[in-house]
Amino acid sequence: MEKETCTFSYCEKPPVVEIETDLLIIGGGMSACGAAFEAVRWANPKGLKVTMVDKAATDRSGAVAMGLSAINTYIGENKVEDYVRYVRGDLMGIIREDLVYDLGRHVDNSVHLFEEWGLPIWKKGDDGFSLDGFQARDAGKAMLKDGGVPVRSGKWQIMINGESYKVIVAEAAKKALEINRQATGVAQNHFERVFIVKLYHDANDPKRVAAAAGFSVRENKIYIFKAKAILLGAGGAVNVFRPRSTREGQGRAWYPVWNAGSGYALGMQAGAELTMMENRFVPARFKDGYGPVGAWFLFFKAKATNALGEDYCATRLEETKKLYSPYAEKLGTAIRNHMMMLDMKEGKGPILMNTHTAMQELAKTMDAKRIKHLEAEAWEDFLDMCIGQAGLWACKNVEPDKEPSEIMPTEPYLLGSHAGCAGFWCSGPGDIPGTPEHYSWGYNRMSTVPGLFMMGDIVGASGHKFSSGSHAEGRIAAKAAIAFILDHADYKPTIKETPEAIAAELYAPYEIYEKYKTFSTDPYTNPHYIRPHMLQARLQKIADEYFGGISTWYMTSKTMLEEGLKQLELLKEDAARSAAANLHELMRAWENFHRILSVEAHARHILFREESRYPGYYYRGDFLAIDDKNWKCFVNSRYDAEKNTWELKKVPYVQIIPD
Ligand code: FAD
């Protein structure tokens, strides 16, 4: 089908608002809030403008929207070197150790700020309570930075009362932005419910990024932001694979449904180099509600077994070592999934989280009041961060102290700040001894595109940052971006695209719908267009069946990937005929396009890497083992959006921190 040009003959022409700023922050999640807070500190004395644009309302946007019950990265009494070793072990041996080390040495400061801003962090008390004194948080203990000792659920995790975590972090970011707005005299520097569709290169320097454009998801308006540097923190990609949830439950996924791959797609279209996009995350979570398991495993010391009561991490270890040693022994997240799946495939499921035995064990040392409190904490773990799971337990009459609950590996997600590492190849800090030249070529966290910085879920090869680490990384990147702006003080961003052309491109799905909607009796079925709902179903089917989703037990191969990529190319063509009946669908149409690009990168990387680096996340049936001899390296790629071509290459991995 031919590409449709929008002439606004059928749909209403939107007004175009042009904003000029120094630093543009895209996203409003943990990393973006950290970036706003830090950027203003350095921008204000120099009179620089900082602007933030989020597709949602920043108070509750991103992965932390519902809140959390633990901060997963707090170094505290541990060594930063050990943090690097732990991340390297969990991510199967290939990480950017300079980025991870850099994160580790800064992350605690963000946690201290959270506490200062009002986040309740559990402290150790001396009341003799057997769960490390977890009641003592009410007792007004010293703040962490003053020597207060957090209650740890694991070596790196600390417990919080985090229902309002995101609101607290957003408040500090919004306050900083307001201070900057007043200092620079601009009318507005925080834009919510504006969906960014595309980045644009500078008219005079085609390598450099100069602008971003998007549309309001609430009113008929297009925005063009011109900036001297852009800081991208739009999160990873959900709903690219067919989810386990079906029909009316399909909105439910583990990863937040509003992170639709924009983080990847925006950077990719600007030509930024990707790394480790073959990686994905498949969390094992409470079945159907996707409720968190961390507190159950780490804090309540619950054990997961198969239905026969066997510990699959023990019974399956020897056979797992045969293909995946020396990583199997580390029992990382992917490996634990792998062993669980071996049992499931043999019909030994359901896999059970034995909440009841864990609680009965803890109850042995407690009186009735404390047992009640313990039970409340178990429910609160869900109510803090995954309310739907509490609802599901309630409607299924689950009493966690009396019976176990089922856990299950989910559909795959693409992300780089949790137990995954798919993202962009970024310059590191450069000052860590042993850093090779190819790790550090410019400003910290700058991508291979000058002026385009990355943070959070989309920085590659440096997972396990989590909420605190993403905030800290936003701060690191923001400081570097301000330095970049100051070092290029004479630069004025200009783009060759006219506002009319940008508006026409962004609103094309609208025009297509309005032009053709009467060509059929049912506006959903039409020879001239495809609605976002249908396109998404096709995308998920292709990804699921060819790229190793749930329906093939995460299995794929060269031949399957090649066939899937062929079908994806056709889908990409059809995506140019997406039709949107309203602003919501316009967003859905562009989200789909971002998802397609993200999953294409994923599939191409899996195809290039001829081994199964992440068993339990995905398998190459034609290369089932890990092959350190040939593949202990990064896989990097670059997408040329104009030519629709890809370049992939191996990049040497350098170990900085000894074993
Ligand atoms: P996010 O915080 O997700 O923010 C992404 C932002 O981008 C959002 O504001 C979104 O609205 C915006 N955006 C997306 N697309 C666009 C667009 N096109 N235009 C404009 N804006 C856009 N960490 C912990 O420490 N402890 C935990 O217990 C924990 N549990 C987690 C549970 C789940 C289910 C998930 C998904 C994550 C969890 N994490 C946890 C990790 C933590 O939430 C993430 O590491 C962190 O939020 C990543 O920060 P980010 O800024 O990259 O992305």
Side-chain angles (χ1 to χ4, degrees):
M1 274 192 200
E2 271 178 39
K3 203 166 180 215
E4 191 81 25
T5 312
C6 171
T7 54
F8 296 109
S9 316
Y10 297 87
C11 77
E12 199 183 328
K13 198 170 180 173
V16 180
V17 181
E18 291 187 65
I19 309 280
E20 297 231 355
T21 187
D22 293 300
L23 176 65
L24 177 67
I25 299 168
I26 301 178
M30 286 306 288
S31 63
C33 285
F37 172 78
E38 188 71 28
V40 169
R41 184 187 289 203
W42 303 98
N44 267 24
K46 303 288 180 186
L48 298 179
K49 290 177 238 165
V50 179
T51 301
M52 182 158 109
V53 54
D54 188 353
K55 84 188 255 195
T58 303
D59 272 355
R60 289 277 178 193
S61 69
V64 184
M66 266 192 278
L68 298 177
S69 54
I71 287 176
N72 284 352
T73 310
Y74 182 71
I75 304 295
E77 70 281 16
N78 296 304
K79 285 200 193 121
V80 176
E81 288 79 359
D82 284 341
Y83 169 65
V84 178
R85 290 184 186 107
Y86 143 72
V87 180
R88 188 171 63 207
D90 201 76
L91 290 170
M92 311 299 280
I94 306 171
I95 55 163
R96 278 282 302 276
E97 300 189 9
D98 58 331
L99 298 179
V100 177
Y101 188 96
D102 193 29
L103 204 279
R105 66 183 167 179
H106 290 301
V107 63
D108 286 7
N109 187 259
S110 273
V111 179
H112 298 162
L113 286 173
F114 300 156
E115 189 177 31
E116 204 169 297
W117 297 337
L119 180 71
I121 297 179
W122 296 14
K123 307 286 167 33
K124 276 192 190 177
D126 54 1
D127 64 349
F129 194 70
S130 65
L131 274 186
D132 227 358
F134 79 76
Q135 277 182 321
R137 66 187 185 281
D138 302 325
K141 294 281 169 196
M143 297 189 72
L144 293 181
K145 64 179 180 184
D146 299 334
V149 182
V151 173
R152 283 213 180 266
S153 47
K155 181 163 180 171
W156 308 102
Q157 298 83 352
I158 60 174
M159 298 296 286
I160 58 174
N161 271 44
E163 184 278 334
S164 300
Y165 188 7
K166 183 67 206 306
V167 184
I168 290 167
V169 170
E171 187 185 17
K174 289 196 297 187
K175 216 166 194 169
L177 286 167
E178 176 56 18
I179 291 168
N180 181 263
R181 192 195 67 75
Q182 286 177 17
T184 54
V186 299
Q188 188 181 353
N189 65 351
H190 181 207
F191 296 82
E192 294 177 294
R193 303 195 189 282
V194 174
F195 180 85
I196 297 296
V197 174
K198 211 170 163 181
L199 304 185
Y200 296 86
H201 288 121
D202 191 87
N204 305 311
D205 179 356
K207 282 208 169 114
R208 185 171 175 162
V209 76
F215 57 88
S216 165
V217 299
R218 284 288 194 273
E219 50 182 343
N220 197 31
K221 211 183 245 182
I222 282 190
Y223 289 89
I224 299 172
F225 298 94
K226 290 187 187 150
K228 294 180 178 170
I230 294 181
L231 195 37
L232 190 52
V238 68
N239 275 328
V240 285
F241 282 83
R242 177 161 42 199
R244 287 200 185 275
S245 318
T246 53
R247 307 285 292 194
E248 83 282 2
Q250 202 162 354
R252 188 75 199 107
W254 173 81
Y255 195 67
V257 290
W258 34 84
N259 287 356
S262 300
Y264 297 125
L266 293 172
M268 281 166 64
Q269 291 182 90
E273 194 167 307
L274 291 155
T275 190
M276 303 308 283
M277 280 302 285
E278 59 273 39
N279 179 269
R280 58 170 70 170
F281 184 36
V282 176
R285 290 295 181 271
F286 283 105
K287 188 169 178 295
D288 300 333
Y290 295 81
V293 294
W296 279 103
F297 272 131
L298 298 168
F299 189 64
F300 296 111
K301 313 282 181 230
K303 292 253 179 310
T305 59
N306 67 21
L308 310 174
E310 295 161 352
D311 177 0
Y312 49 83
C313 285
T315 56
R316 295 292 188 172
L317 186 57
E318 284 312 311
E319 63 185 291
T320 300
K321 277 202 247 172
K322 285 181 199 150
L323 286 177
Y324 304 120
S325 197
Y327 305 102
E329 294 83 332
K330 295 192 190 304
L331 291 179
T333 317
I335 289 289
R336 293 197 307 271
N337 275 7
H338 169 72
M339 295 191 285
M340 173 193 293
M341 287 175 202
L342 290 177
D343 270 12
M344 291 179 89
K345 284 187 209 168
E346 280 185 15
K348 292 184 175 173
I351 302 298
L352 300 172
M353 173 74 85
N354 291 287
T355 56
H356 59 317
T357 47
M359 290 186 85
Q360 285 154 16
E361 197 54 37
L362 290 166
K364 282 182 190 163
T365 55
M366 295 177 196
D367 57 29
K369 193 170 157 219
R370 283 180 173 177
I371 294 169
K372 208 76 210 142
H373 189 148
L374 181 69
E375 222 180 285
E377 291 298 352
W379 282 92
E380 197 181 311
D381 180 41
F382 290 161
L383 293 169
D384 266 351
M385 60 184 293
C386 185
I387 299 155
Q389 183 70 52
L392 194 63
W393 265 10
C395 74
K396 288 172 83 180
N397 291 341
V398 170
E399 293 182 72
D401 55 327
K402 297 195 176 60
E403 60 190 302
S405 280
E406 202 174 335
I407 57 174
M408 178 100 179
T410 68
E411 63 279 0
Y413 310 105
L414 307 177
L415 54 85
S417 75
H418 205 285
C421 63
F424 290 96
W425 184 247
C426 293
S427 185
D431 66 324
I432 296 161
T435 304
E437 258 176 42
H438 68 287
Y439 280 14
S440 181
W441 62 87
Y443 295 78
N444 205 352
R445 266 56 172 199
M446 193 165 84
S447 69
T448 53
V449 172
L452 180 59
F453 291 73
M454 306 294 185
M455 53 187 175
D457 260 334
I458 54 166
V459 174
S462 65
H464 287 271
K465 291 174 274 210
F466 296 102
S467 61
S468 47
S470 298
H471 189 270
E473 189 163 60
R475 295 174 63 200
I476 293 168
K479 189 175 170 191
I482 295 288
F484 176 87
I485 293 167
L486 292 172
D487 290 348
H488 300 81
D490 296 336
Y491 173 72
K492 186 166 170 42
T494 35
I495 53 173
K496 59 178 188 311
E497 292 81 2
T498 62
E500 293 72 27
I502 290 175
E505 185 178 6
L506 268 50
Y507 263 41
Y510 243 167
E511 177 92 342
I512 291 173
Y513 178 78
E514 291 299 331
K515 188 170 171 185
Y516 296 110
K517 67 183 179 192
T518 53
F519 277 53
S520 59
T521 46
D522 178 354
Y524 270 96
T525 313
N526 195 295
H528 293 279
Y529 60 65
I530 180 165
R531 299 287 281 272
H533 188 63
M534 295 169 175
L535 193 113
Q536 190 175 347
R538 261 178 71 193
L539 168 66
Q540 290 181 347
K541 188 168 159 62
I542 293 169
D544 181 51
E545 292 174 2
Y546 295 101
F547 303 154
I550 50 172
S551 67
T552 64
W553 279 104
Y554 313 96
M555 179 65 74
T556 184
S557 64
K558 180 174 189 288
T559 44
M560 290 296 278
L561 288 157
E562 283 173 348
E563 178 57 33
L565 282 164
K566 231 191 282 171
Q567 298 198 19
L568 197 68
E569 202 50 47
L570 293 175
L571 187 71
K572 220 187 213 174
E573 277 175 28
D574 288 355
R577 307 284 308 188
S578 282
N582 50 47
L583 281 171
H584 185 69
E585 273 201 343
L586 188 64
M587 181 181 73
R588 287 278 181 259
W590 284 110
E591 281 182 344
N592 276 342
F593 190 63
H594 289 173
R595 286 192 180 100
I596 291 174
L597 287 184
S598 307
V599 81
E600 183 178 358
H602 183 51
R604 289 190 185 278
H605 273 241
I606 296 179
L607 180 60
F608 189 80
R609 181 180 282 279
E610 295 183 328
E611 62 159 359
S612 292
R613 174 63 50 177
Y614 304 106
Y617 287 179
Y618 80 80
Y619 303 88
R620 280 280 307 249
D622 42 356
F623 298 99
L624 210 47
I626 285 182
D627 174 7
D628 265 353
K629 190 159 158 275
N630 293 303
W631 291 101
K632 182 92 188 251
C633 63
F634 302 99
V635 168
N636 284 16
S637 71
R638 195 177 161 276
Y639 175 60
D640 185 326
E642 265 172 40
K643 298 191 194 128
N644 192 27
T645 53
W646 291 82
E647 283 164 35
L648 286 107
K649 62 180 180 190
K650 288 182 175 184
V651 174
Y653 159 73
V654 175
Q655 182 169 346
I656 298 175
I657 305 297
D659 289 335

